[in-house]
Amino acid sequence: MRTLTSIDVGHFSTGANFLACHIDPAAVFAYEDMIQRALPTGDVRLLSVGELDPEDLVVALGFVTQGLAIADMPPVGDEFIGCIREIEKKLGRKVSALYSLAAGNINGILPLMAGLQTALPIVDSDPMGRVLPLISQTTLSLGGVDISPIAVMGVTGERATLDVKDPHRAETLVRSLVIELGGWAATAMYPCTAKQLREHGIHGTMTRMIKIGEILDAEEAVERKYVQLVDLLNATRVARARVRHMESFSRERELGLPTQTTSLTLVDEVTGHIIRLEIENEILLVLVDGAVAAAVPDIVTLLSAEFGRVVNLDDVRVGHLLDVVVTPAAPIWYTDAGLNLAGPPAFGLPLQHPRRHD
Amino acid sequence: MTRPNRATRLDVASVVAHGSLRTVTTLYAAAAKAVIDGVVIVTDLETIRRVPPNTVVVLSAHMGSGGWQVSAALRHAWERRASAVIIPYSTYAESVISLAERLDINLMAAEQDPSTVALALAAEIGAVKSVAEVDLAQFARAVTRESTVSNVLKTISYRLGTLRVTLEHDGTVLAAAGGADRDGVPVHVDLPAIENWVRVKLVALVPKIRGYGPDEVRTFLEVAAPSVQAAWMAGEINDMAASAPTLALAELSHAVMGDAGTIDQVYPNLLATLGWHANQSYVAVWISHPRHQPHRVGRTAIVRLLWRKVWARRPLAEVLGGWLSVIPVSDEEGPGWIEIRIREKIGSSLAELGFSAGTSRRQSGIDDLPAMVQEARVAAEYGIRVAPGAVTSFGQLGVGAVLACTDDAAVTLVAGLTLPELLSAPDRDQIIRDTLAFLDNQSSMTLAAKSLKLHRNTLQQRMNRVRDVGIHLDDPAQLLPIHIILTVLKRGLRVPDTD
């Protein structure tokens, strides 16, 4: 078990932003600020799943959004507590620990706040190992762990509990509710035992975010930071290139995906390579001269070449010099089942992932 | 044959300029000329990965709607060496054009329905292909009419715009036609395989900037290959028949082991009957192969094909240890011209094959024909030792040539050439014995005198004669050759080995 300090939370926020794959970090920074302000009132305890009793009840927390940025309508503050209570009521037992629905972005960091509010520890595991847009795209789902009961609570205080077996059907129902609840909703889902999370989750992902932050926040040369990142994440810098062109709505999208499509074209001024990034909520695809260099579930991050800071889509301007860094996702995502659930075709990209051979 | 004026293959530039693609908008025109063999409408990226080279890839309206798919399609098309990519008019962006420019692949946008564009292009390709088929049939008839390898190659070269066409074996050019330009993409086609026969291929060098593409040239070569084979085999049969007198001469000189007079005694008038004339001068040419080189079926056919460049009317006869031709020469022709001609025509090829040529001295009449054959053989075998590809004249040999000789007759020939004064000296036998004793005793005058049962001063006095007959014992390089020559000559002495 480890008690997080204010500095840890700052690093955690940087790491969550790094793994957000381009999502606007305003809400992450807002939560970082809230948690740091609330730290004097309690502890944020981070523990490994092995430290729990195998039968302990754990539950995933996460926002589900449908078109509205959380920063545009901040939560009241009791939404996740309400969700946890609903799960406890439904299952008739107490929740022992919380875990993040995703190891990145807002859903990576928000359980720290809920942990402060409830005095529950945070498990150093998650069911995505990165950020994926759909609540059904989890390793728990691959492992056959039930997604329900799902507790949903909106900013208005309205709440619902869903019992649904199929994760894809759950997706549809939750998103319908979210629209009615105002554009986003706090959720608690995948209630399971610590044993189930240990067997089907991805571990060490909270600590990884802190370590990423420690590297990126350090006062060091950019190249030195990259060396450490490569060492930590087995990451690769695909290109250092200048933004040449941006376009929105570059391709058709399927109804139901909470996104808008964007494409970014960069040119590597040394090699002449043309790099094209396809973006939805996160960067899905990297083409180098038209050839696939990386594709979801690879984690793609843009960093400013000058400072080594994470660059988000809203920050990108034509003429910026960026480093395109690719971090492999958890190995389970490159299995056939993993790629079926979270590979390029799942995002409407009719192409085969480079790591798939069939 | 008449060289056709009509193109037998479409290219992107001409089809865009005045063909079925004249309605499309060129977003990027590749620097390199792109020919068109086919067209395909694709609805997914995987299809592009299977298109053959020189295909125009037309993206469906659905595919073209995603900018990234156009980028990926360009990449796949480039990898497949497609001729061009045609996308729906409204979907292109600057980045796509930049990528086409970077990959140097033709990119066009069509306002019409993609299937309409593809069908129009397919019809045009079909029409041109039918013209090409007719043209190919005419070409096949033309090469079939030719009876020599040289003429078949010339016909191929002419039809393909005088590009260089060669017949090659293991990198050695056996026959060639067309331009001297050595730059270009080599396209080769193996001649039809014959069991145990050497592998020979037909090669054309296709210049990068000329009109014909490698695939098209390969098609013409494939059509012509059987005709090349047939002409070569016909020539081989003719050469075999025409070389019969030479073969007979070689066999007779070997069997009788004598001069023409001896042959004439055994087989009266045979040489004259075989076509050798008493009032004609001749030079023998022998081509040797290395002794260790294994015999391969078809090797003689290759050497004969090469030899046609030198003297087509006097084909080589295959003899033991090499190939032989006896060439009639006139007195007006200066010395050394045959050697020069052989070097110019096939010197490099002989070197590549590891062979060497030797020529005899010019002789008048038929009396010395057997000796000429031996002279040429000795010269050729000496050439093998010096350097593959050497063309050696027997008349230019020194005493060192005996190091390449493999029998007494050859050594005697070299001795006759290099030590004529010795052979004609009245005290020849004594000089031979004295000098041999000196050499056998490691140049010790004392030991040599002892072995000859002479006083040292007596031998010293006699050895002064050695230099008079052209033997230079003070030249270390000559000691071994002289030793060999004298050893062979001593075997022919009638007087016992005592003084």
Side-chain angles (χ1 to χ4, degrees), chain A residues 244-245 247 249-252 263 265 267 271-274 276 278 285 287-292 348-352, chain B residues 44-46 49 62 65-69 71-76 78-79 91 93-96 98-100 102-103:
Chain A
R244 170 76 67 84
H245 187 74
E247 56 183 305
F249 302 109
S250 62
R251 60 189 183 277
E252 292 177 350
S263 292
T265 305
V267 175
T271 63
H273 288 316
I274 295 175
R276 185 177 178 115
E278 290 296 316
L285 179 65
L287 299 176
V288 176
D289 286 344
V292 179
L349 300 175
L351 57 86
Q352 183 167 288
Chain B
D44 59 79
L45 288 171
E46 282 303 306
R49 298 170 85 119
H62 168 71
S65 66
W68 75 272
Q69 292 210 70
S71 294
L74 272 174
R75 173 68 185 217
H76 288 326
W78 173 74
E79 287 177 355
T91 59
E94 186 193 343
S95 60
V96 172
S98 298
L99 183 57
R102 175 165 168 71
L103 300 174

Side-chain angles (χ1 to χ4, degrees), chain B residues 20-62:
Chain B
S20 56
L21 297 184
R22 61 185 177 280
T23 58
V24 303
T25 302
T26 299
L27 302 178
Y28 175 73
K33 180 181 177 181
V35 296
I36 301 173
D37 288 337
V39 58
V40 62
I41 302 178
V42 297
T43 55
D44 59 79
L45 288 171
E46 282 303 306
T47 306
I48 308 178
R49 298 170 85 119
R50 296 189 295 272
V51 301
N54 305 319
T55 299
V56 173
V57 175
V58 182
L59 301 192
S60 68
H62 168 71

Side-chain angles (χ1 to χ4, degrees), chain A residues 56-112:
Chain A
D56 280 349
L57 177 64
V58 294
V59 67
L61 301 183
F63 280 112
V64 175
T65 65
Q66 195 70 11
L68 181 65
I70 288 151
D72 292 344
M73 187 170 72
V76 171
D78 63 349
E79 288 88 348
F80 285 101
I81 299 170
C83 289
I84 294 166
R85 299 295 170 250
E86 283 298 312
I87 292 289
E88 288 176 333
K89 194 162 77 179
K90 180 75 181 171
L91 296 177
R93 54 184 298 208
K94 285 287 181 186
V95 170
S96 299
L98 308 174
Y99 63 96
S100 298
L101 184 58
N105 200 35
I106 180 68
N107 285 346
I109 197 169
L110 72 84
L112 305 190

Side-chain angles (χ1 to χ4, degrees), chain B residues 95-108:
Chain B
S95 60
V96 172
I97 299 172
S98 298
L99 183 57
E101 184 179 353
R102 175 165 168 71
L103 300 174
D104 197 30
I105 183 169
N106 290 296
L107 177 65
M108 287 161 272

